[in-house]
Amino acid sequence: MYGLRTVSNQYKHLTVNYSEVMSTTFCITLFSSWLLLASIVGAQSRPLDVRSFGAKGDGVSDISQALLSAWKAACNSPKPSTIVIPRGTFGLLQASLEGPCKAPIELQVQGTLKAPQNPNLIKDGEWVTIQYLDHFTLSGSGTFDGQGARAWAQNDCAKASDCSKLPNNFSFNFLNNSIISGITSLNSKLFHMNVLGCNNVTLSRLTITAPGTSLNTDGIHVGRSSGVNITDSTIGTGDDCVSLGDGSKQVSITNVVCGPGHGISIGSLGRYKNEEPVVGVFVRNCTLINTLTGVRVKSWPSATTGAATDVHFDDITMRNVTSPIVIDQEYCPNNQCTLGAPSRVKISKVSFNHIRGTSASALAVKLVCSKTFPCEGVEIGDIDLAYHGSLGNITTNCANVQPTFMGRQNPPICAKNNAAQSS
Ligand SMILES: *[C@@H]1O[C@H](CO)[C@@H](O)[C@H](O)[C@H]1NC(C)=O
Ligand SMILES: *[C@@H]1O[C@H](CO)[C@@H](O)[C@H](O)[C@H]1NC(C)=O
Ligand SMILES: *[C@@H]1O[C@H](CO)[C@@H](O)[C@H](O)[C@H]1NC(C)=O
Ligand SMILES: *[C@@H]1O[C@H](CO)[C@@H](O)[C@H](O)[C@H]1NC(C)=O
Ligand SMILES: *[C@@H]1O[C@H](CO)[C@@H](O)[C@H](O)[C@H]1NC(C)=O
Ligand SMILES: *[C@@H]1O[C@H](CO)[C@@H](O)[C@H](O)[C@H]1NC(C)=O
Ligand SMILES: CC(=O)N[C@H]1CO[C@H](CO)[C@@H](O)[C@@H]1O
């Protein structure tokens, strides 16, 4: 389904080749170097320790070359291999680990990898890029320390409309059937993890941390990917914990604790041309603590079309979240858009169910859809939110949406007076 069949056929082909070579003759010089390589890394699954490729764990020395050499050996191996970055602290200027490779590779990180403090030393905006792989695993309990403090000071996103010049911590591009698990990503200079063009990828047991004041340090951003599972993770950053960009399909986010940050967001959508629809998002059993928004779908007022459909938020706990439930089709931070143009992003089949906890502002639910494309098929189930502040009673605000209600809502959502206020 994800090209798995093609790839496993390739493995079979390699295995056949391998045994033919073994059984016929050893004197075909054409294969001798290949066999040597195979006998070092392929024929056995002994892990490749980056130290045997020249990495020093002295806390300063750059291991970029050592890691790349280990990667090349693993990538050329016809059998599955494991690369190990052991305990200790290592400098890592930049890493680009690319496929296609001949067999599955696991990169086990036990130690701490430190990015250079100066963001300008990282070329092309990516600190660690892992791409074009099938059956890749990143595991271990190690830490990737983006050392972002200096970069955040240079971030001008509040003023400039295009501010993706700082490096992301990680880019996982075009990975199939892969697992990212266990690691910690600390203080990325920009997005912590950017997942692009991936199929069937699970991100689990991750810890992603940056101060609530750092700009645009989204935890995990997913775009143009399908079958992405984000589970059992703790994410606290200065921006969205998880954001799903255009072309996110069949994404599930479960057992995630988020805060501080901006919450779990679909979008923003409708800012750029040729955006692909977001289809099939399942957010379950997540807890949001002291975040700006809880669960949100957002799109820009713009002539650009787009869509988000089949989006479900279920079993969510809010603790002191400023705006727990949001559909915002007038998303326009820093006045970077024309508010007069209604969003042309079509939002449909969105459900909110079993959402409880506390709102840090009186306006706990905001469902503001587009005048041009009103939201369709919005379902509101059990909601129980309280506001304990001094700025009035808890309220909701709705426009261009007629939700279907099931279960009990506290407060009542889209009550008439609220609906009238906003249009
Ligand atoms: C990943 O899967 C896609 C879709 O099946 C395929 O086109 C692509 O070649 C695969 N990539 C790798 C690296 O296997
Ligand atoms: C998805 O990826 C995992 C991890 O590599 C693999 O075990 C599983 O078989 C894949 N699922 C499909 C449907 O290919
Ligand atoms: C991803 O999550 C969904 C829903 O929880 C589940 O059905 C699916 O099997 C998961 N896929 C993987 C690869 O873990
Ligand atoms: C819900 O998520 C929490 C982590 O926030 C986890 O401890 C708990 O086991 C999860 N519950 C279920 C039913 O998966
Ligand atoms: C609640 O959230 C507000 C706004 O984010 C914050 O100022 C306040 O400290 C939080 N209160 C608690 C008890 O965490
Ligand atoms: C808040 O709600 C209570 C009870 O419904 C009502 O008596 C009171 O006037 C409301 N306060 C405001 C500021 O709307
Ligand atoms: C060089 C590069 O790919 N940078 C990307 C970093 O991440 C942002 C946000 O996803 C992208 O817009 C950039 O293209």
Side-chain angles (χ1 to χ4, degrees):
M1 192 204 215
Y2 299 120
L4 188 59
R5 185 166 298 149
T6 329
V7 171
S8 54
N9 283 345
Q10 274 171 17
Y11 296 156
K12 238 175 253 158
H13 172 71
L14 278 166
T15 317
V16 170
N17 256 354
Y18 183 75
S19 48
E20 272 171 6
V21 170
M22 294 298 279
S23 61
T24 47
T25 171
F26 279 86
C27 62
I28 302 172
T29 48
L30 192 65
F31 283 103
S32 64
S33 61
W34 182 83
L35 279 173
L36 180 66
L37 187 67
S39 68
I40 295 168
V41 294
Q44 60 212 31
S45 51
R46 216 176 61 208
L48 306 171
D49 187 322
V50 286
R51 286 175 302 192
S52 49
F53 292 82
K56 296 193 188 102
D58 59 7
V60 219
S61 304
D62 175 36
I63 67 160
S64 302
Q65 278 313 315
L67 180 56
L68 196 60
S69 303
W71 181 262
K72 281 184 180 156
C75 192
N76 282 318
S77 162
K79 288 198 173 174
S81 39
T82 302
I83 299 172
V84 176
I85 299 178
R87 282 178 202 290
T89 302
F90 302 85
L92 179 64
L93 181 57
Q94 197 160 18
S96 181
L97 308 177
E98 303 197 13
C101 294
K102 292 185 174 154
I105 298 178
E106 175 165 351
L107 173 59
Q108 264 178 28
V109 180
Q110 303 302 347
T112 296
L113 296 169
K114 280 189 183 291
Q117 284 194 12
N118 180 354
N120 302 328
L121 293 175
I122 300 176
K123 308 273 178 271
D124 304 322
E126 305 291 331
W127 180 36
V128 178
T129 306
I130 299 180
Q131 56 189 1
Y132 303 110
L133 296 167
D134 190 18
H135 288 95
F136 169 75
T137 302
L138 174 61
S139 66
S141 52
T143 296
F144 288 76
D145 184 351
Q147 304 215 88
R150 185 160 156 192
W152 301 329
Q154 288 178 25
N155 186 319
D156 61 350
C157 288
K159 284 169 265 160
S161 56
D162 177 16
C163 58
S164 58
K165 284 169 209 132
L166 287 169
N168 291 320
N169 213 335
F170 284 98
S171 286
F172 299 113
N173 303 326
F174 310 104
L175 302 183
N176 294 341
N177 308 311
S178 294
I179 297 170
I180 313 295
S181 162
I183 58 161
T184 294
S185 175
L186 193 64
N187 296 339
S188 174
K189 292 178 171 55
L190 196 65
F191 288 12
H192 279 263
M193 297 190 177
N194 196 26
V195 175
L196 177 74
C198 293
N199 296 310
N200 183 27
V201 171
T202 296
L203 298 104
S204 68
R205 296 185 295 107
L206 303 176
T207 306
I208 301 182
T209 312
T213 50
S214 54
L215 286 168
N216 302 97
T217 51
D218 289 41
I220 302 174
H221 179 78
V222 178
R224 309 228 165 168
S225 295
S226 68
V228 177
N229 277 12
I230 301 171
T231 73
D232 303 296
S233 295
T234 303
I235 306 175
T237 72
D239 209 304
D240 294 330
C241 286
V242 179
S243 59
L244 305 182
D246 82 287
S248 297
K249 301 199 167 91
Q250 305 307 324
V251 176
S252 87
I253 302 169
T254 43
N255 307 355
V256 168
V257 178
C258 161
H262 295 187
I264 296 174
S265 287
I266 319 294
S268 53
L269 301 173
R271 190 178 188 191
Y272 302 106
K273 286 208 172 95
N274 304 320
E275 289 188 357
E276 292 174 16
V278 170
V279 183
V281 177
F282 306 87
V283 181
R284 271 190 215 106
N285 187 36
C286 293
T287 301
L288 295 109
I289 305 170
N290 295 328
T291 53
L292 197 59
T293 56
V295 291
R296 168 167 67 158
V297 183
K298 56 184 174 176
S299 76
W300 292 74
S302 152
T304 310
T305 55
T309 190
D310 201 10
V311 174
H312 307 282
F313 301 100
D314 192 14
D315 193 9
I316 314 284
T317 301
M318 307 285 175
R319 291 204 197 128
N320 191 40
V321 170
T322 306
S323 304
I325 297 177
V326 177
I327 295 179
D328 181 5
Q329 295 211 261
E330 294 177 351
Y331 180 71
C332 183
N334 313 310
N335 299 316
Q336 290 171 17
C337 66
T338 321
L339 264 172
S343 172
R344 294 177 61 82
V345 172
K346 182 98 207 78
I347 295 176
S348 59
K349 293 193 204 157
V350 181
S351 69
F352 300 94
N353 200 7
H354 304 115
I355 298 184
R356 66 208 155 248
T358 53
S359 176
S361 79
L363 183 57
V365 178
K366 180 179 163 184
L367 303 175
V368 174
C369 296
S370 165
K371 215 175 269 174
T372 315
F373 286 143
C375 294
E376 276 172 11
V378 173
E379 289 182 3
I380 313 266
D382 286 327
I383 308 287
D384 190 1
L385 293 168
Y387 168 64
H388 302 303
S390 55
L391 300 170
N393 291 335
I394 189 164
T395 63
T396 73
N397 180 10
C398 302
N400 307 307
V401 59
Q402 286 183 314
T404 315
F405 294 98
M406 289 165 303
R408 282 189 59 226
Q409 290 85 38
N410 175 31
I413 291 170
C414 307
K416 272 205 180 85
N417 58 335
N418 291 325
Q421 274 169 21
S422 63
S423 28

